[in-house]
């Protein structure tokens, strides 16, 4: 378990990305049992990991290395996959994308038992990472390689603390008794769980171990007091405090996995527009889902900005700096351009009014959920000189001069309504003559919509021109996947008749078997993966993203209207147990988006609360807990979001630890179904108790 | 033969492309490789060594493979340039006979433009010039077929794709004409 410094910090004695990659190639070429299962890439289901996987697959393909990409949805899935992987004899390289950093991978639970020729590469943007992964050395340790982004250089203190604690020769008994304690805790939890349901406690073991370190070692200290230790007790305590602070301050995100892969491609000198576009998508995903702050985004943006100009030199007379003004210069123009993007959601793909209505920033400032707010919105548009028919036109049909003036007008008039900072620098890609240029944020929306809801649930998308009683009295159509859906495109159904039989449905949601549930999201994964390189399914997915947003807005406005938000002492809770879109919000990804929308919308109206970290002090933030009932499995999906007070800032998400703590205290039957510890699935009866315990936990901090 | 009826009289364009891929082109390799023997119809079947940044002559299929893996840059042959093609086009449109072009220019141009359009300057202009050339020559070959008689058809400077295009027709046509010619003389 070593960490790889990024290339700009590498030296002869410290191998960096290129050497690790070269080792993969060498292992592949030399091993006599090489087959398609020699190099396996496990990918978490988010857009960033998807982009990184695509970049890596492209690099491997160019080097003629056979590989397999396997999507993994959560910790349970990873364990299942691990058992399957143990049976592959020819496996020599395993690459984990956006998963596994927090796990202690060399333990017996995970990959400690695998053969010595297996190398595991961990490219993960989740932080905190398990310090054992980063710093442990030795023969066992060398097999696990964490690709670092330069942060590890600043972790010198944590490194010293961890090494001191782990390698301290004296307290062997200390570690044993701590491990015994861990086991007893685990077996206690096991008794409480309802095994018939198949639920089990699958919190990330690394985190719990570290928590165990923090809490239990204090008592151990006193018992073994009389044994002489090399380190004094105070030193040990400071070390423990440091490590506990590292693990306990919540979760945040580092460099995106796709950026790491892009750096690898740069070092190998094999970058081109496609890889650059994928890296941009990964970065934009991190920014639009509030994983990184505006400053971090700007930092990476400037790097990509230079890259864009290096790879796509524009002819000098074309000075396009707004996405409106970008046009493809030739049928084969696939270049990436830098452009200023507006914060409206998908605004080039539906009407201007809709785009502003559905964007969380505008919604919050203007108060869209009330009639008064909607009037303000039309007032704003009217002031800018856009007549109502114009704003109801799909963007592509708006007058050209209005489009060009849009940004200027927004800059001058929007501040009166409190809408400042409406633009941010971003990128757009031309697709020749096959489609109009697509902005990075829109592409990210489309891909994540595919990941969440491409299959497995009935989604209705709007047909263009069918609004306000279009040709066939309005109507939507069921969404079918990309190219395959084109054959079925002619079907239109009336809005009222949702009882259409399922024979033209490709969705597998209707029966409740778990196997079907697993396969629908795998299909989604591959649909999203294909859409990354093919513009036709990507363009179709935009309408899916739009209907997803409409559902989120509907739900969000009804929550705010009904004042469904309960304020606890340290956070706010929303519980969804009924509504038309309940099945949709049972997906953690969609629920998280709803939470983010609420945070953005209510940012100015709610005072922030101080939620302290383990150290007792904390910054003000907007903690939100959103829960939604999954009727089919009679469980609640709970998502915790830590919103920041300023737009463009992020806070470390402490809900992961809070959830685990609350779960332990109230012995709720629950499980973590994804890699994110702040997403929890809990039994229906236990929800109330869990939420109450969560309040206590909040106070305890 | 095992081929379907439609294919028995001529070769498909894809097959012509495959044959044309044996043609040697110059590349600027980005990787190093020793002199390696490959399966080839040429007697000299070993190509390389590749020593960047020196140019090397390799078959087109190998250049395509390397280019797709981003391991070389293809140097377009000197006839694949705007000036050359423009000059040939004006010659084509001003004189009644075909102008001289490399025998497999259509296939080689297509492959290079598909794979390495960034290595070719003014790829769009070249594509449109090639299209114009094809149309001009097609018009001429249609006229030329009127001169078909039973013993010979002379269309100098016709290129492989164009020959392939008219081959099914004029083989059958010449056969019938030969029969017709033979009949009267038999009387």
């Amino acid at each position: 378990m070593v960490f790889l410094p990024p290339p700009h910090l590498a030296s002869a004695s410290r191998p960096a990305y290129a050497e690790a990659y070269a080792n993969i190639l060498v292992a592949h070429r030399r091993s006599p049992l090489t087959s398609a299962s020699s190099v396996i890439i496990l990918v978490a289901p988010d857009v960033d990991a998807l982009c990184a996987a695509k970049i890596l697959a492209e690099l491997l393909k160019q080097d003629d290395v056979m590989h397999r990409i396997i999507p993994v949805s959560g910790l349970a899935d990873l364990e299942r996959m691990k058992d399957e992987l143990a049976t592959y004899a020819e496996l020599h390289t395993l690459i984990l994308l956006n998963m596994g950093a927090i796990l202690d991978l060399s333990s017996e639970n995970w990959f400690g038992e695998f053969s010595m020729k297996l190398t595991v590469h961990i490219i993960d943007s989740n932080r905190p990472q398990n310090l054992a992964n980063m710093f442990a050395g030795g023969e066992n340790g060398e097999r696990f390689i964490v690709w670092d982004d330069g942060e590890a250089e600043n972790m010198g203190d944590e490194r010293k603390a961890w090494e001191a604690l782990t390698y301290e020769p004296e307290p062997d008994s200390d570690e044993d008794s701590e491990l015994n304690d861990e086991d007893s805790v685990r077996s206690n939890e096991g008794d409480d769980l309802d095994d018939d349901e198949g639920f089990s406690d699958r919190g990330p073991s690394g985190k719990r171990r570290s928590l165990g370190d923090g809490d239990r070692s204090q008592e151990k200290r006193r018992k073994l007091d009389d044994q002489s230790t090399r380190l004094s007790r105070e030193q040990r305590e400071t070390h423990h405090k440091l490590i506990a602070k590292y693990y306990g301050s919540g979760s945040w995100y580092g460099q995106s996995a796709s950026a790491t892969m892009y750096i690898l491609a740069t070092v190998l000198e094999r970058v081109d527009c496609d890889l650059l576009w994928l890296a941009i998508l990964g970065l934009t995903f991190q920014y639009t889902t509030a994983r990184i702050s505006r400053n971090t985004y700007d930092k990476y943006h400037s790097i990509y900005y230079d890259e864009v100009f290096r790879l796509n030199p524009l002819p000098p007379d074309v000075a396009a700096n707004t996405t409106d003004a970008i046009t493809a210069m030739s049928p084969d123009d696939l270049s990436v351009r830098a452009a200023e993007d507006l914060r409206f959601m998908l605004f080039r793909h539906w009407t201007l009014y809709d785009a502003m209505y559905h964007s969380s920033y505008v919604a919050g400032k203007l108060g869209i959920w009330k009639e008064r707010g909607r009037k303000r919105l039309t007032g704003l548009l009217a002031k800018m000189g856009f007549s109502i028919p114009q704003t109801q036109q799909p963007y592509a049909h708006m007058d050209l001069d209005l489009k060009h003036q849009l940004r200027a007008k927004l800059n001058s008039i929007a501040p009166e309504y409190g809408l400042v900072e409406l633009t941010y620098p971003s990128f757009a890609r031309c697709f020749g003559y096959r489609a109009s240029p697509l902005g990075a944020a829109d592409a990210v929306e489309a891909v994540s919509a595919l990941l969440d809801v491409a299959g497995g649930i009935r989604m209705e998308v709007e047909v263009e021109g069918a609004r306000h009683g279009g040709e066939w009295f309005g109507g939507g159509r069921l969404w079918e996947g990309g190219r395959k859906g084109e054959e079925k495109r002619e079907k239109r159904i009336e809005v009222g008749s949702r009882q259409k039989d399922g024979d033209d449905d490709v969705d597998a949601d209707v029966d409740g078997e778990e196997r079907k549930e697993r396969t629908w999201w795998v299909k989604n994964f591959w649909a999203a993966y294909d859409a990354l390189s093919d513009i036709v399914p990507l363009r179709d997915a935009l309408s899916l993203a739009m209907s997803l947003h409409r559902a989120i807005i509907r739900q969000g406005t009804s929550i705010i209207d009904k004042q469904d938000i309960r304020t606890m002492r340290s956070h706010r809770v929303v519980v969804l147990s009924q509504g038309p879109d309940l099945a949709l919000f049972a997906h953690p990804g969609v629920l998280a988006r709803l939470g983010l929308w609420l945070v953005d919308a209510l940012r100015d109206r709610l005072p922030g609360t101080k939620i302290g970290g383990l150290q007792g002090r904390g910054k003000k933030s907007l903690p939100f807990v959103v829960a939604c009932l999954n009727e089919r499995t009679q469980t609640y999906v709970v998502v915790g979001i830590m919103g920041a007070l300023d737009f463009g800032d992020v806070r470390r998400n402490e809900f992961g630890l809070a959830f685990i703590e609350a779960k332990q205290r109230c012995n709720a039957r629950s499980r973590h179904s994804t890699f994110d510890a702040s997403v929890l699935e809990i039994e229906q009866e236990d929800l109330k108790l869990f939420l109450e315990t969560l309040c206590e936990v909040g106070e305890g901090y | 033969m095992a081929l379907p009826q439609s294919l028995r009289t001529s070769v498909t364009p894809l097959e012509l492309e495959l044959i044309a891929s044996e043609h040697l082109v110059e590349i600027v390799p980005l990787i190093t490789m020793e002199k390696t023997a490959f399966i080839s119809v040429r007697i000299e079947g070993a190509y390389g060594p590749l020593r960047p940044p020196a140019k090397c002559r390799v078959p087109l299929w190998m250049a395509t493979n390397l280019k797709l893996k981003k391991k070389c840059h293809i140097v377009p042959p000197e006839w694949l340039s705007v000036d050359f093609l423009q000059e040939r086009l004006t010659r084509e449109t001003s004189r009644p006979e075909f102008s001289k072009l490399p025998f497999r220019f259509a296939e080689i141009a297509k492959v290079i433009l598909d794979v390495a359009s960034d290595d070719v300057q003014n790829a769009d202009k070249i594509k449109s010039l090639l299209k114009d050339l094809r149309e001009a020559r097609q018009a001429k070959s249609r006229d030329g077929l009127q001169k078909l008689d039973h013993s010979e058809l002379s269309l100098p400077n016709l290129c492989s794709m164009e020959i392939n295009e008219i081959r099914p027709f004029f083989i059958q046509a010449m056969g019938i004409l030969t029969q017709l010619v033979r009949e009267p003389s038999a009387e």
Side-chain angles (χ1 to χ4, degrees):
Chain A
M1 289 167 271
V2 292
F3 68 93
L4 281 185
H8 60 265
L9 294 175
S11 61
S13 61
R14 297 173 66 192
Y17 295 173
E19 281 81 10
Y21 183 73
N23 288 341
I24 297 179
L25 294 186
V26 161
H28 180 263
R29 286 178 189 148
R30 286 206 189 137
S31 124
L33 291 174
T34 290
S35 73
S37 292
S38 313
V39 178
I40 292 192
I41 306 174
L42 298 179
V43 187
D46 61 74
V47 177
D48 181 30
L50 215 58
C51 293
K54 198 134 198 148
I55 297 179
L56 187 57
E58 186 65 31
L59 289 174
L60 288 174
K61 197 169 76 158
Q62 287 170 1
D63 281 323
D64 291 326
V65 173
M66 290 186 289
H67 57 278
R68 254 174 76 185
I69 298 180
I70 303 182
V72 180
S73 68
L75 281 172
D77 224 359
L78 185 62
E79 287 203 9
R80 208 172 3 227
M81 192 53 51
K82 175 198 71 121
D83 295 328
E84 197 182 312
L85 287 178
T87 62
Y88 291 168
E90 63 271 10
L91 178 67
H92 59 71
T93 308
L94 190 64
I95 304 176
L96 305 182
L97 289 175
N98 268 356
M99 63 171 78
I102 195 61
L103 307 170
D104 184 9
L105 290 171
S106 70
S107 75
E108 297 79 39
N109 287 344
W110 296 107
F111 299 104
E113 297 293 305
F114 280 49
S115 83
M116 287 313 272
K117 65 177 170 65
L118 171 72
T119 325
V120 181
H121 298 263
I122 299 143
I123 300 158
D124 193 346
S125 61
N126 294 313
R127 303 272 181 276
Q129 296 165 313
N130 194 316
L131 291 174
N133 276 348
M134 309 266 290
F135 302 129
E139 198 190 283
N140 199 22
E142 296 292 325
R143 294 191 286 150
F144 300 91
I145 302 178
V146 174
W147 293 44
D148 184 59
D149 55 355
E151 279 294 314
E153 306 294 313
N154 307 334
M155 282 176 40
D157 296 333
E158 278 94 349
R159 177 178 201 153
K160 283 206 234 8
W162 184 85
E163 279 175 353
L165 287 177
T166 324
Y167 294 134
E168 187 51 30
E170 199 284 321
D172 280 338
S173 47
D174 221 5
E175 281 179 356
D176 286 343
S177 41
E178 279 180 8
L179 284 174
N180 288 341
D181 234 286
E182 288 286 314
D183 293 338
S184 63
V185 167
R186 249 178 245 165
S187 56
N188 280 344
E189 303 249 346
D191 294 338
D192 293 339
L193 298 171
D194 189 358
D195 287 342
D196 297 346
E197 303 254 342
F199 269 47
S200 52
D201 189 44
R202 302 220 192 257
S205 48
K207 267 195 188 152
R208 274 201 297 133
R209 183 175 293 195
S210 62
L211 281 180
D213 268 348
D215 292 344
R216 280 167 194 80
S217 55
Q218 304 285 25
E219 301 144 43
K220 293 284 165 278
R221 284 295 143 285
R222 282 176 225 121
K223 281 187 200 159
L224 300 167
D225 202 357
D226 43 11
Q227 291 178 344
S228 63
T229 59
R230 296 238 180 98
L231 291 179
S232 71
R233 194 147 41 111
E234 290 81 28
Q235 277 182 313
R236 287 198 148 265
E237 283 192 16
T238 42
H239 286 317
H240 273 295
K241 265 216 204 51
L242 198 59
I243 296 203
K245 178 170 149 207
Y246 178 70
Y247 284 129
S249 58
S251 65
W252 71 103
Y253 289 87
Q255 186 186 55
S256 62
S258 46
T260 314
M261 287 291 101
Y262 187 74
I263 292 177
L264 172 66
T266 315
V267 169
L268 297 172
E269 290 180 359
R270 285 199 247 158
V271 297
D272 72 343
C273 277
D274 291 328
L275 301 188
L276 178 60
W277 177 243
L278 290 167
I280 288 175
L281 288 186
L283 174 69
T284 315
F285 166 75
Q286 278 197 325
Y287 181 57
T288 53
T289 49
R291 283 171 150 92
I292 58 174
S293 69
R294 175 67 189 258
N295 292 339
T296 326
Y297 175 76
D298 282 339
K299 186 177 81 159
Y300 284 105
H301 171 88
S302 61
I303 300 176
Y304 290 141
Y305 191 79
D306 296 332
E307 285 290 306
V308 163
F309 279 102
R310 187 173 72 92
L311 290 175
N312 294 311
L314 275 181
D317 51 348
V318 177
N321 69 337
T322 62
T323 357
D324 315 329
I326 289 184
T327 49
M329 291 192 300
S330 76
D332 295 320
D333 190 7
L334 288 174
S335 54
V336 182
R337 314 266 178 83
E340 292 267 322
D341 220 353
L342 289 172
R343 271 192 207 288
F344 307 150
M345 191 58 67
L346 294 175
F347 98 99
R348 259 179 314 287
H349 304 279
W350 51 17
T351 73
L352 184 60
Y353 180 82
D354 268 342
M356 297 179 80
Y357 183 79
H358 286 111
S359 77
S360 50
Y361 181 65
V362 175
K365 296 278 186 191
L366 295 181
I368 295 288
W369 44 86
K370 289 211 184 341
E371 189 57 37
R372 193 165 37 101
R374 288 193 273 272
K375 285 224 175 11
R376 287 182 76 196
L377 177 58
T378 39
L380 166 64
L381 288 170
K383 257 199 190 173
M384 292 197 303
F386 291 82
S387 64
I388 296 206
Q390 281 297 320
T391 59
Q392 300 286 6
Q393 297 271 8
Y395 186 78
H397 302 289
M398 247 168 63
D399 284 345
L400 264 182
D401 51 349
L402 285 179
K403 279 194 234 184
H404 290 311
Q405 291 168 7
L406 179 64
R407 268 184 65 236
K409 287 279 174 65
L410 274 175
N411 282 340
S412 56
I413 301 192
E416 294 175 18
Y417 288 76
L419 295 167
V420 293
E421 221 192 288
L422 272 177
T423 63
Y424 63 98
S426 175
F427 300 94
R429 186 167 203 200
C430 308
F431 291 97
Y433 290 170
R434 280 182 294 165
S436 54
L438 192 63
D442 299 341
V444 166
E445 284 297 320
V447 176
S448 49
L450 278 177
L451 264 181
D452 284 333
V453 294
I457 198 164
R458 276 170 199 265
M459 289 290 297
E460 261 207 11
V461 293
E462 186 185 339
V463 179
E464 195 177 298
R467 224 187 274 199
H468 309 304
E471 271 175 52
W472 305 93
F473 308 106
R477 68 181 157 84
L478 277 182
W479 195 79
E480 314 273 2
R483 286 190 187 270
K484 185 164 49 88
E486 279 181 0
E487 291 113 47
K488 306 195 181 177
R489 190 151 301 235
E490 265 52 66
K491 289 198 169 53
R492 289 193 189 191
I493 60 173
E494 303 263 305
V495 170
S497 65
R498 297 228 180 162
Q499 308 306 320
K500 196 132 172 71
D501 57 271
D503 59 356
D504 44 41
D505 227 80
V506 295
D507 301 334
D509 186 41
V510 265
D511 61 38
E513 288 179 21
E514 210 184 273
R515 199 162 42 88
K516 290 276 173 113
E517 224 186 78
R518 252 198 3 251
T519 51
W520 68 251
W521 73 263
V522 173
K523 274 196 244 177
N524 288 3
F525 179 90
W526 289 114
Y529 190 83
D530 291 335
L532 275 180
S533 51
D534 199 348
I535 181 59
V536 173
L538 193 61
R539 210 180 44 199
D540 294 337
L542 285 170
S543 45
L544 184 67
M546 286 198 267
S547 64
L548 190 64
H549 270 287
R550 234 176 261 125
I552 291 179
I553 304 300
R554 250 199 321 263
Q555 193 70 42
T557 48
S558 87
I559 289 175
I560 298 180
D561 263 343
K562 293 193 294 189
Q563 307 202 329
D564 233 351
I565 307 177
R566 302 200 312 247
T567 309
M568 307 288 171
R569 198 164 308 197
S570 57
H571 56 266
R572 294 187 163 76
V573 184
V574 179
V575 181
L576 301 171
S577 44
Q578 61 202 15
D581 300 313
L582 207 59
L584 184 60
F585 286 106
H587 295 84
V590 184
L591 198 59
R593 273 187 222 221
L594 175 64
L596 279 175
W597 188 89
L598 282 173
V599 165
D600 276 342
L602 298 172
R603 185 166 263 137
D604 297 319
R605 282 144 209 276
L606 301 175
T609 55
K610 255 194 198 331
I611 174 163
L614 274 181
Q615 58 271 41
R617 299 173 284 104
K619 297 188 268 197
K620 275 193 172 214
S621 58
L622 290 170
F624 254 86
V625 176
V626 192
C628 175
L629 172 64
N630 185 342
E631 278 165 340
R632 207 164 38 85
T633 57
Q634 295 293 308
T635 57
Y636 271 86
V637 178
V638 185
V639 173
I641 293 164
M642 194 75 85
L645 274 185
D646 300 316
F647 195 65
D649 203 1
V650 285
R651 292 277 178 271
R652 301 190 169 189
N653 193 340
E654 295 167 13
F655 276 112
L657 300 166
F659 280 3
I660 294 174
E661 185 82 16
K663 203 172 59 163
Q664 284 177 357
R665 278 202 207 174
C666 70
N667 297 327
R669 289 162 297 170
S670 60
R671 66 175 175 172
H672 290 275
S673 53
T674 68
F675 286 108
D676 199 351
S678 59
V679 174
L680 193 64
E681 210 176 310
I682 189 171
E683 284 289 312
Q684 195 172 13
E685 296 86 29
D686 295 334
L687 180 72
K688 205 161 158 313
L689 184 58
F690 176 78
L691 288 176
E692 284 165 19
T693 328
L694 197 60
C695 299
E696 295 165 13
V697 166
E699 285 175 51
Y701 286 141
Chain B
M1 280 287 283
L3 283 177
Q5 183 69 36
S6 55
L7 291 179
R8 283 188 207 166
T9 47
S10 71
V11 187
T12 67
L14 281 176
E15 288 172 348
L16 281 178
E17 202 179 294
L18 182 66
I19 295 172
S21 296
E22 195 59 46
H23 185 90
L24 290 178
V25 292
E26 272 208 335
I27 62 164
V28 177
L30 297 172
I31 56 152
T32 326
M33 196 177 84
E34 293 302 321
K35 200 167 171 66
T36 325
F38 293 97
I39 299 176
S40 166
V41 294
R42 289 171 193 271
I43 301 177
E44 162 78 24
Y47 305 109
L50 300 177
R51 301 248 180 272
K55 291 188 193 168
C56 180
R57 289 184 76 79
V58 296
L60 185 59
W61 56 263
M62 191 164 142
T64 312
N65 189 290
L66 286 175
K67 175 70 186 176
L68 285 175
K69 294 187 206 167
K70 300 210 184 29
K71 295 189 176 166
C72 78
H73 292 294
I74 297 186
V75 177
E78 63 285 336
W79 54 262
L80 197 66
S81 63
V82 177
D83 305 323
F84 186 94
L85 291 176
Q86 183 72 57
E87 193 250 319
R88 287 302 150 102
L89 181 63
T90 45
R91 220 188 278 180
E92 194 77 45
T93 46
S94 51
R95 299 197 211 153
E97 63 263 1
F98 294 93
S99 52
K100 188 154 175 44
L101 280 174
F103 185 57
R104 299 187 191 274
F105 81 96
E107 299 93 303
I108 298 178
K110 176 176 188 304
V111 170
I112 293 183
L113 284 171
D114 274 346
V115 163
S117 59
D118 49 337
D119 290 332
V120 176
Q121 291 186 347
N122 269 337
D124 299 329
K125 185 93 175 89
I126 290 185
K127 280 183 197 166
S128 74
L129 282 171
L130 284 169
K131 180 93 180 144
D132 293 337
L133 264 175
R134 161 163 168 73
E135 282 169 2
R137 292 165 75 93
Q138 197 176 34
K140 283 187 195 169
S141 66
R142 263 195 230 120
D143 293 336
L145 281 176
Q146 290 179 352
K147 289 188 287 186
L148 186 66
D149 71 0
H150 68 99
S151 59
E152 76 166 321
L153 174 66
S154 164
L155 289 173
N157 291 333
L158 209 57
C159 291
S160 87
M161 289 284 249
E162 292 149 357
I163 294 177
N164 193 43
E165 219 177 7
I166 62 179
R167 184 185 294 132
F169 172 71
F170 78 70
I171 287 179
Q172 287 203 331
M174 280 183 93
I176 293 178
L177 279 174
T178 315
Q179 285 185 335
L180 288 174
V181 163
R182 218 185 303 135
E183 294 298 307
S185 60
E187 285 164 12

